[in-house]
Amino acid sequence: MSASLPFFRYHPDPLAGGSIRAAAETCACCKRNRGWIYTATFYTAHEVNGRFCPWCISECLILNLLR
């Protein structure tokens, strides 16, 4: 697996909550397989395809896809 997961202030234990799980999927944002993938939904006014790694979410990198 990858390095330790990033910290989410408003979701301190996403593994226990099931929002993040171990996976061999490629992140739709960074195009990397980092061993973890975000599985929950999130609010956006844009159509989003694919799943994202926790690092792209925590670093707000997915915002670049929505512009």
Side-chain angles (χ1 to χ4, degrees):
M1 295 286 165
S2 299
S4 62
L5 293 169
F7 176 75
F8 295 95
R9 180 187 321 183
Y10 298 108
H11 199 341
D13 196 354
L15 290 175
S19 297
I20 294 175
R21 66 173 168 79
E25 294 181 51
T26 300
C27 174
C29 181
C30 68
K31 309 297 185 213
R32 295 171 59 190
N33 176 350
R34 298 186 73 175
W36 300 96
I37 208 78
Y38 181 75
T39 61
T41 59
F42 56 91
Y43 174 78
T44 177
H46 303 279
E47 184 175 332
V48 177
N49 295 312
R51 296 196 185 257
F52 303 100
C53 72
W55 293 271
C56 286
I57 295 169
S58 73
E59 297 168 10
C60 299
L61 297 177
I62 61 173
L63 294 176
N64 293 329
L65 294 176
L66 304 177
R67 291 184 182 162

